[in-house]
Structure formats: structure tokens, C-alpha cells
Amino acid sequence: MGVTVEVHRVYRYPFEQVVASYLRKYPSPMEKHVTAVETVEEKTDLSTGIIYRRRIATCQNVIPEILRKVSVLKVPDIYLEEESWLNMEKRNMAMRSHCLTWTQYASLSEESVFRESLENPNWTDFTQKGRISVTGAGLLNCVLEAFAQSFLKQGVKKGIKIMEKLLQEQCG
């Protein structure tokens, strides 16, 4: 079945500052579940100037203890892979993320874009769409999807709050 989470946000800050804040957003004392983010690949396409990055995030397993009775869910960390394409000339950055943990039972994917706002060139539009689908857990599929959807919605709100705080500190 699957569930989705969508968000649109306008940051009233220039694109370059928003992207810089995003790239240093985690780890943060404001979000204890993301314990590390490592850039494992970075390269620039010399013909287009597009900067490609691949990062791996390490997150604490947040599945409630009661559900971790299922052995496959009993892992300390969850790993996410994020790929991004930063085009400074066009002032946009597209990202794709997916979960590397539990791939045989669940899929979590996100697509996000930061781009210069059409409303004001000194602002930045952010859009994100995430999808979670759980299979192979029988009756727990819907329970796990509902939990994941709720957790992701909270995570989006927390991520925006962290971004706003970083931008406020950086830009005043």
C-alpha cells in the first residue's frame, strides 16, 4: 500500500545560504536521531558545473521497542543514502534519498528540490515528497507505515526548524 508525506516551504533567505545550511544541518544537538552524515563521493561535472554528492546518514533506530520484538527490526542504526545535484548557475539543488536498511521489507524514498523562488530571487523554495512502503510484515505492515508516516512528518517539522535556526544564526 504505502504512505506519502509532502512538504513545501519558502525560506526567506538566498539560495546559496539555504544550501550551505542544508549541507551542514546534521548532525545537530537539535536532532539526536541523526548521529552522523558522511560524504562518500563528490565530483563536479566540468562541462555543466553541476556538483554531485553522495552522502550516507546514520540514524538511531526509532521503531518502538514493542515492535522490535520482530528480530529484523532489532538493529541499533538505520542507514540512508542521499544523492544531490547542485547547479549554482540555475540556482537549484535536486536530491534523492532512500533507506539502505530493511530493503527486503520496506522502501523509503524522498525527492527534494531547493530552488530560487519565483516570488523573490532572494528567497528559496523547498519541496519534498517522501514515500514509505512496508511489505512482508503481515498485519504489521499498516502499523509500521502509520508509525513511519507520523515520524517522518515530525522529522520534516524538526528539519525545517533546524534550517530556520541555522539560517538565523548565519544571516541574522
Side-chain angles (χ1 to χ4, degrees):
M1 187 169 120
V3 293
T4 60
V5 175
E6 293 186 44
V7 67
H8 176 254
R9 174 76 178 183
V10 177
Y11 292 102
R12 294 179 177 228
Y13 298 94
F15 172 78
E16 293 80 3
Q17 291 171 327
V18 171
V19 167
S21 291
Y22 174 79
L23 292 172
R24 64 183 179 87
K25 180 168 81 168
Y26 298 118
S28 165
M30 292 176 65
E31 175 50 275
K32 64 181 186 232
H33 299 301
V34 180
T35 58
V37 176
E38 180 185 356
T39 300
V40 293
E41 184 178 1
E42 183 171 334
K43 58 187 175 186
T44 302
D45 182 324
L46 298 177
S47 65
T48 63
I50 293 173
I51 301 168
Y52 168 79
R53 283 186 189 89
R54 188 167 62 90
R55 305 190 312 167
I56 305 293
T58 304
C59 307
Q60 292 175 346
N61 185 350
V62 296
I63 291 180
E65 202 60 45
I66 188 87
L67 295 176
R68 287 198 222 179
K69 302 289 184 214
V70 179
S71 63
V72 73
L73 300 177
K74 201 173 194 164
V75 297
D77 295 316
I78 297 167
Y79 298 95
L80 303 171
E81 179 182 65
E82 173 193 83
E83 293 179 285
S84 65
W85 295 265
L86 173 61
N87 186 329
M88 292 302 283
E89 186 181 320
K90 293 185 178 176
R91 293 171 59 91
N92 72 47
M93 183 167 81
M95 297 164 291
R96 257 193 340 235
S97 304
H98 66 273
C99 188
L100 298 172
T101 308
W102 302 315
T103 55
Q104 69 274 37
Y105 301 103
S107 70
L108 173 127
S109 60
E110 289 178 349
E111 291 187 8
S112 309
V113 176
F114 287 104
R115 67 171 37 106
E116 179 181 296
S117 174
L118 297 174
E119 192 177 339
N120 181 328
N122 289 316
W123 294 354
T124 305
D125 281 332
F126 172 65
T127 56
Q128 183 177 60
K129 183 174 185 175
R131 180 165 175 72
I132 305 143
S133 180
V134 179
T135 58
L139 296 173
L140 283 179
N141 286 358
C142 291
V143 172
L144 291 169
E145 285 176 353
F147 170 76
Q149 183 180 38
S150 171
F151 184 77
L152 282 181
K153 283 181 179 179
Q154 291 173 14
V156 165
K157 288 178 187 171
K158 197 179 285 187
I160 288 171
K161 190 174 177 181
I162 293 169
M163 284 289 293
E164 289 288 355
K165 185 175 182 352
L166 289 172
L167 287 162
Q168 185 72 31
E169 289 171 358
Q170 180 182 330
C171 306

